[in-house]
Amino acid sequence: MKRWLMGTAGLALALSSLAVAQDSPESLLPPGFDKPKPAARPPATPGDGSTPVVQPLPGGSSGGSAGGSTSAVRPATLPSGARVPSLKELESMSPDELDQLLGLKPKFDMPSALRRSMKQVGILAEDEGGMPPGSLGRQNAALVGALLGGNKGRLVSRWGHILLRRVLASRLDAPAGMNPADFAGARAALLVRMGEGDAARQMVQDVDAGNYTPALTQAAIDAYQFTGDITGICPVVSVIGGGRKDADWRVLQAICSSFEGSGASALAQLDRLVGQGGWQQLDVLLAKRYAGAAGKARQTVKIEWEGVQEMTPWRYALSMAVGAAPPAALLNDLPVRYDYVAATAPMAPLVARAKGADRAGAAGILSSAAMVDLYSQIYSQDDINGPFAESADTLRIAYVGETPEARMQAIRALWDGGTDAEARYSRQVLTAFAAARVTPSGDHDAVLPDLIAAMLSAGLDQNALRWAPHADLGTVGWGQLVLAAPNRTAPVEGGALDSFYDGDASEGHRKSRFLLAGLAALGRVKANTAGGFADKLGIDLGRQTRWTRLIDQAADVNNRALVVLLAGIGMQGDSWAKMTSVNLYHIISALDRVGLSAEARMIAAEAVARS
């Protein structure tokens, strides 16, 4: 970052001196010698018709006699071609505006030798688990753009979320006809909507600021806001400068200006933004405290929450970043987005992170290991009390309790501590590895489906299959295992499906619908058996829509990335009640056909467990 070598007043004085010097240059010669003697004009030859030639003065008119009027003095200008501003104008300018005025504004934030190619943008290389770089390079740009922009980010499936994140984070060539920066921006924007702020921030950081487009700039703002890393956007702000005029951008300019050392002028700029573009007094005060902490300005900023009725993304991000905890009443009944932010924010209090984890775990944002790490931190803090501290103690018992009964009792207590179905499933993610340590026996028939669901939430299919001898035919535990088994060859018989149907208490026999969809998609039931059971359920797995045709065609050409993007569109919703058996059938079938059979099996088993 540049640092100014002189203040605004000093620069103003220098520029004012420049204007004076151009108006009346000072002579260095003694009086009487400052006007050179004019050269003698050669005499005119009589009759040659010549006339005296008068040279035009610089900046003046070219015609007229020697006694004609002189032209006005040309006004002083700067290297950028702009006029020299007044002292008052200079004092009100930000460093970025002065840069632009003086022609010092950078076009890139990286030296030319270190600038990165836009050929493949992303986080995850193919040898790290990402998709092949050319997966979408030959696809229709409008289709890919619609799949990215049309996904609202909330998926019913934890495993579907994990798979979509993997594709979005891959290092990919942009589709033909799509700007690579816009492609990166669309992926980052979807990652933010999914609650994957860290992945989105890494995505936008993979592009040099000089290559940013308006779409990528907005995605970057959203990513840095989501993660509370406000100053992370400053290199982009420095390069783009006055290219945006909205209030959010001007707030960021002021914060970055303070970060660069112009604290006093930055705080003054923020004061002028009160009431503009939704920035209320409280929001500007939060921005001023952040700017003061980031820069060298030292100004006491008192945060008053009285009268504030709602939480906003900027308000939440800034309050979290500066440690100004909002009143508890403002945090009640917030959209799930705020839980995702809290769960992944390292600066958030541990209890707030644990509350968020009860949503983020089920969504697929947090892994089982990450949740265990979080509760381990809570366990190690003696000053944390309450239900989450008790849960941390219980989790320790679930792993190292002295008896199998004590460990199983602790696991069940954690599950039952979930306030709703989503939180309960998050607790199953939390206890996945503890469940895998339980010795299979017939003593846990009542909770066997939950034990299997917990293990499969972390992909522990081999551990779950150890319980197969204890999973009675036609039960929910059996249904999960016949879908999750990696090498099953024997088809499921109609009698087993009928038994499952008879014990299915889900609304509209949703579990039975999803079991059939998964088995048919994986080829684990004969066609006539599947057809008969489908008639019983009143569904038609062969029904076609434009979306089903697209995902089938993508599977036909073995394009994994496109299949996953289409699957993401088909899995949108806030609960499994929003999923249809037809969509589930085509998703699992397409994933299995393109070699993503492990993910296909986990999604199928999850559907039966959570529906």
Side-chain angles (χ1 to χ4, degrees):
M1 294 295 177
K2 58 185 179 300
R3 296 188 179 274
W4 292 99
L5 300 180
M6 55 183 173
T8 302
L11 180 60
L13 180 60
L15 292 173
S16 300
S17 300
L18 171 64
V20 173
Q22 292 189 7
D23 286 343
S24 55
E26 181 180 358
S27 175
L28 301 178
L29 298 174
F33 293 88
D34 54 345
K35 294 182 180 180
K37 182 178 180 179
R41 183 184 305 164
T45 304
D48 62 0
S50 63
T51 57
V53 177
V54 180
Q55 292 284 0
L57 296 174
S61 62
S62 59
S65 64
S69 62
T70 59
S71 63
V73 177
R74 180 181 298 170
T77 59
L78 293 166
S80 62
R83 67 175 179 82
V84 176
S86 66
L87 179 61
K88 184 176 180 180
E89 291 172 328
L90 285 168
E91 289 177 340
S92 65
M93 285 183 178
S94 67
D96 180 76
E97 292 170 331
L98 287 171
D99 272 352
Q100 194 163 358
L101 183 69
L102 296 173
L104 301 176
K105 187 167 184 54
K107 295 183 178 180
F108 281 89
D109 61 330
M110 300 288 286
S112 58
L114 297 179
R115 291 174 194 165
R116 291 165 292 185
S117 169
M118 296 294 291
K119 170 65 175 170
Q120 293 169 8
V121 177
I123 307 165
L124 204 60
E126 185 177 6
D127 59 0
E128 297 170 327
M131 296 290 124
S135 296
L136 301 175
R138 297 183 179 181
Q139 298 304 314
N140 183 284
L143 172 62
V144 175
L147 295 178
L148 294 172
N151 195 320
K152 296 179 181 179
R154 189 82 186 273
L155 273 61
V156 301
S157 169
R158 166 181 165 80
W159 278 102
H161 176 108
I162 293 169
L163 185 55
L164 181 58
R165 177 182 62 204
R166 175 182 161 195
V167 170
L168 296 175
S170 296
R171 292 179 186 165
L172 299 173
D173 296 330
M178 180 182 287
N179 186 308
D182 287 339
F183 182 47
R187 288 186 284 159
L190 178 50
L191 284 167
V192 169
R193 295 195 296 272
M194 292 169 63
E196 296 287 352
D198 290 334
R201 180 175 58 179
Q202 292 180 65
M203 176 69 68
V204 301
Q205 287 174 339
D206 201 43
V207 180
D208 293 340
N211 292 321
Y212 267 52
T213 61
L216 179 56
T217 301
Q218 185 59 54
I221 292 173
D222 294 340
Y224 286 112
Q225 176 206 76
F226 192 98
T227 55
D229 180 13
I230 312 301
T231 49
I233 193 70
C234 288
V236 179
V237 170
S238 176
V239 171
I240 295 177
R244 284 179 56 143
K245 304 294 184 183
D246 56 280
D248 290 356
W249 186 255
R250 292 163 66 193
V251 168
L252 292 173
Q253 284 182 301
I255 290 175
C256 294
S257 175
S258 178
F259 184 69
E260 293 172 4
S262 302
S265 63
L267 297 181
Q269 290 176 56
L270 288 171
D271 283 331
R272 293 193 291 269
L273 288 171
V274 175
Q276 299 185 29
W279 284 84
Q280 304 304 316
Q281 179 71 31
L282 170 67
D283 305 314
V284 172
L285 289 175
L286 288 168
K288 288 179 69 175
R289 179 177 285 189
Y290 187 97
K296 296 182 179 180
R298 294 294 180 263
Q299 184 181 102
T300 302
V301 180
K302 186 177 181 181
I303 306 300
E304 295 283 356
W305 291 96
E306 185 176 356
V308 178
Q309 301 295 324
E310 65 176 345
M311 184 59 67
T312 66
W314 274 117
R315 193 169 291 167
Y316 191 84
L318 287 167
S319 63
M320 180 176 61
V322 301
L330 279 180
L331 301 178
N332 294 330
D333 301 322
L334 290 177
V336 71
R337 174 190 192 278
Y338 293 93
D339 290 319
Y340 296 161
V341 173
T344 55
M347 74 287 284
L350 290 174
V351 170
R353 292 181 61 190
K355 289 179 180 178
D358 271 351
R359 296 288 176 266
I365 297 169
L366 292 182
S367 67
S368 178
M371 294 186 72
V372 171
D373 287 345
L374 172 59
Y375 276 86
S376 297
Q377 294 179 59
I378 295 174
Y379 179 82
S380 66
Q381 298 292 322
D382 295 334
D383 57 340
I384 298 179
N385 300 304
F388 287 101
E390 295 171 2
S391 293
D393 293 336
T394 305
L395 182 62
R396 185 176 185 277
I397 297 173
Y399 277 93
V400 298
E402 293 184 359
T403 64
E405 292 75 14
R407 294 194 292 271
M408 192 65 233
Q409 184 178 358
I411 291 173
R412 296 184 65 173
L414 289 168
W415 295 344
D416 295 339
T419 55
D420 54 28
E422 189 175 18
R424 194 174 196 276
Y425 186 67
S426 289
R427 299 296 182 90
Q428 290 179 337
V429 176
L430 171 66
T431 57
F433 289 91
R437 294 162 63 95
V438 177
T439 302
S441 71
D443 298 334
H444 309 299
D445 290 347
V447 293
L448 181 56
D450 289 324
L451 279 171
I452 294 172
M455 288 181 271
L456 294 180
S457 72
L460 304 175
D461 53 356
Q462 295 300 324
N463 298 84
L465 287 169
R466 295 167 55 214
W467 289 83
H470 304 284
D472 293 337
L473 191 72
T475 62
V476 174
W478 165 86
Q480 293 180 75
L481 292 178
V482 296
L483 291 168
N487 300 311
R488 183 182 176 92
T489 56
V492 174
E493 299 295 336
L497 294 177
D498 290 335
S499 296
F500 189 91
Y501 178 90
D502 293 339
D504 183 4
S506 62
E507 183 180 355
H509 291 91
R510 188 177 295 118
K511 288 184 183 293
S512 297
R513 294 169 179 262
F514 289 168
L515 175 65
L516 175 62
L519 291 173
L522 295 170
R524 298 186 176 184
V525 61
K526 293 180 179 179
N528 58 342
T529 304
F533 197 55
D535 290 341
K536 185 175 184 177
L537 293 168
I539 59 176
D540 179 13
L541 295 181
R543 182 170 59 88
Q544 290 288 327
T545 65
R546 184 171 183 269
W547 174 84
T548 63
R549 286 190 289 270
L550 283 173
I551 197 170
D552 289 345
Q553 290 169 6
D556 289 341
V557 297
N558 198 33
N559 192 318
R560 292 185 178 185
L562 189 58
V563 164
V564 174
L565 292 181
L566 286 160
I569 291 292
M571 284 191 284
Q572 293 183 88
D574 54 8
S575 75
W576 279 95
K578 303 297 177 64
M579 173 62 73
T580 69
S581 51
V582 173
N583 278 15
L584 183 63
Y585 167 76
H586 285 278
I587 288 169
I588 296 172
S589 174
L591 292 175
D592 186 55
R593 289 163 58 196
V594 297
L596 296 171
S597 58
E599 291 83 354
R601 290 184 288 106
M602 293 302 105
I603 292 172
E606 180 189 351
V608 171
R610 299 182 64 186
S611 56

